[in-house]
Amino acid sequence: MNEVITKEEIHIENMIYEIRGKQVMLDSDLAKLYHVETKRINEAVKNNPEKFPERYSFVLSNDEKNNLWSKFSTANISNMSRVNPRVFTEQGIYMLATVLKSKVATFVNIQIMDTFVAMRHYIGNNLLEQGYINNLVLEDNQKIKKNTNDIKLLQQTFDSFKEENLENELYFNGKRYDAYSKVLDIFNEAKNELIIIDRYTDKTMLDMIKNLTCKVILITGSNTKITKLDINKYNETYNNLKIIYNDTYHDRYFIIDSNRIYHSGNSVNHIGYRKSSINILQDEKVKKTIIKDIEKILSSQEM
């Protein structure tokens, strides 16, 4: 598997295009890298629509498809297909790998992530002319390849955890995307109400909750990095957030529908940066104590 990925990784930079001001990859290219049929990629989106909002993945219009074909004649677009190709942003590609849950997808995703990082490092948010990108990525090739050991370590970590253990305890050491993705999954468990206790959060939190359909209550510290202007602007669009300022909590908790409680070692904006874990609380007495205290805080705000 490693040999296959090594041969293909040098071509990933040629599969990234700029459409609607975003860097994206075609469903057919991702299918080729993941060694699956293109229809499986699109089935993953169809079966998990809540995980692929338009900012993560979208279908090209006729004009966009024709424009892409005219600029890049080598683009992997089939004239035989009756539907336009689907594309994925960087976040959408990350999410796709978690849905596919294959070893190949895991290994390839690391290569794709490294390529996106290399591009951002040199060209910021603007995609430059394709030939220039190729030169930059080739110059940075040694930096990309040095992550091979991290890839092996990630695979060992994935293999060591069984599905049931992933729910109870996760241990992250620099695996920022894995931690970020797990927190998103936890947030999406909430059906009616999500309570987040995080004193030191920032606007990262707003990006993570804006697609939730439940009510969100954020209990944060008076020195939080989210400003009142951020909150007002956010609620003008999404209107699902209530914020409470309270400095009594040091630890971070995610409370799902007043029943399920997760404890996080790091604030959401730093999740996965260093060694930390996310645990589900099993002790019913501890859970009841926390929920009772939160109810008291909420009730004092309503007085």
Side-chain angles (χ1 to χ4, degrees):
M1 183 186 299
N2 288 338
E3 182 179 353
V4 172
I5 301 303
T6 301
K7 289 180 179 179
E8 291 182 342
E9 66 174 336
I10 61 173
H11 302 301
I12 293 175
E13 65 272 11
N14 296 324
M15 300 177 181
I16 300 176
Y17 307 97
E18 183 182 16
I19 299 174
R20 301 184 192 179
K22 302 176 182 293
Q23 295 178 24
V24 298
M25 293 184 70
L26 291 165
D27 52 3
S28 52
D29 284 333
L30 289 169
K32 178 181 177 183
L33 290 171
Y34 292 157
H35 298 284
V36 298
E37 294 182 1
T38 303
K39 67 179 182 180
R40 189 180 170 200
I41 300 291
N42 287 285
E43 284 172 357
V45 177
K46 183 179 179 181
N47 294 334
N48 300 274
E50 73 284 354
K51 293 187 177 183
F52 295 95
E54 189 169 342
R55 62 194 178 93
Y56 280 19
S57 176
F58 54 87
V59 176
L60 298 186
S61 66
N62 290 332
D63 288 342
E64 289 170 334
K65 181 184 74 172
N66 294 334
N67 186 50
L68 181 63
W69 178 258
S70 66
K71 289 184 177 179
F72 305 99
S73 59
T74 57
N76 190 12
I77 301 175
S78 172
N79 291 326
M80 303 298 293
S81 177
R82 289 178 293 179
V83 296
N84 287 352
R86 174 175 288 277
V87 295
F88 293 81
T89 65
E90 184 178 358
Q91 295 91 338
I93 294 168
Y94 300 159
M95 188 64 72
L96 183 62
T98 66
V99 173
L100 292 177
K101 295 181 180 178
S102 72
K103 291 185 178 181
V104 171
T106 299
F107 274 84
V108 171
N109 238 45
I110 294 295
Q111 299 298 327
I112 294 173
M113 290 164 60
D114 287 336
T115 304
F116 270 106
V117 169
M119 287 184 174
R120 283 202 306 274
H121 181 71
Y122 285 103
I123 63 175
N125 295 322
N126 298 312
L127 191 64
L128 299 180
E129 192 240 337
Q130 191 71 29
Y132 183 48
I133 294 174
N134 292 341
N135 290 334
L136 291 177
V137 175
L138 287 174
E139 290 172 5
D140 208 43
N141 196 43
Q142 291 303 314
K143 294 181 181 179
I144 295 174
K145 287 185 176 180
K146 76 177 183 179
N147 289 308
T148 300
N149 290 334
D150 287 338
I151 296 171
K152 292 179 180 178
L153 180 60
L154 177 62
Q155 185 59 45
Q156 291 170 0
T157 304
F158 274 26
D159 290 342
S160 67
F161 284 116
K162 293 183 178 179
E163 189 65 29
E164 60 269 21
N165 290 334
L166 286 175
E167 184 177 348
N168 294 327
E169 182 171 352
L170 288 166
Y171 187 73
F172 299 104
N173 181 13
K175 307 304 180 189
R176 293 168 55 188
Y177 173 70
D178 297 332
Y180 173 85
S181 177
K182 181 58 182 179
V183 172
L184 280 179
D185 289 342
I186 290 173
F187 286 1
N188 278 302
E189 289 178 15
K191 303 300 182 184
N192 300 310
E193 181 183 75
L194 168 65
I195 299 176
I196 302 167
I197 303 174
D198 191 337
R199 285 184 64 197
Y200 304 106
T201 191
D202 60 15
K203 287 192 289 186
T204 302
M205 182 72 73
L206 303 182
D207 291 332
M208 296 181 74
I209 67 172
K210 67 181 182 180
N211 291 316
L212 299 179
T213 56
C214 65
K215 176 183 177 182
V216 180
I217 299 174
L218 172 61
I219 300 177
T220 189
S222 54
N223 292 325
T224 182
K225 294 182 181 179
I226 300 180
T227 67
K228 291 183 179 180
L229 178 61
D230 294 332
I231 300 299
N232 292 337
K233 292 295 183 183
Y234 173 87
N235 275 328
E236 284 177 6
T237 303
Y238 300 101
N239 195 32
N240 68 338
L241 175 63
K242 178 179 180 180
I243 189 163
I244 295 174
Y245 298 98
N246 185 287
D247 291 304
T248 60
Y249 275 87
H250 176 273
D251 288 4
R252 277 68 55 177
Y253 295 98
F254 313 137
I255 304 174
I256 311 298
D257 295 325
S258 298
N259 178 38
R260 197 174 179 90
I261 302 180
Y262 290 87
H263 175 269
S264 174
N266 271 340
S267 289
V268 169
N269 49 309
H270 290 110
I271 199 78
Y273 274 70
R274 294 183 176 86
K275 295 178 181 178
S276 63
S277 63
I278 300 176
N279 309 84
I280 185 167
L281 297 187
Q282 303 287 1
D283 190 307
E284 290 298 324
K285 184 176 181 180
V286 173
K287 287 170 59 178
K288 288 179 181 178
T289 300
I290 293 175
I291 290 174
K292 185 176 180 180
D293 186 60
I294 295 303
E295 289 175 349
K296 186 184 300 183
I297 292 174
L298 296 179
S299 133
S300 68
Q301 291 291 317
E302 294 173 357
M303 294 177 61

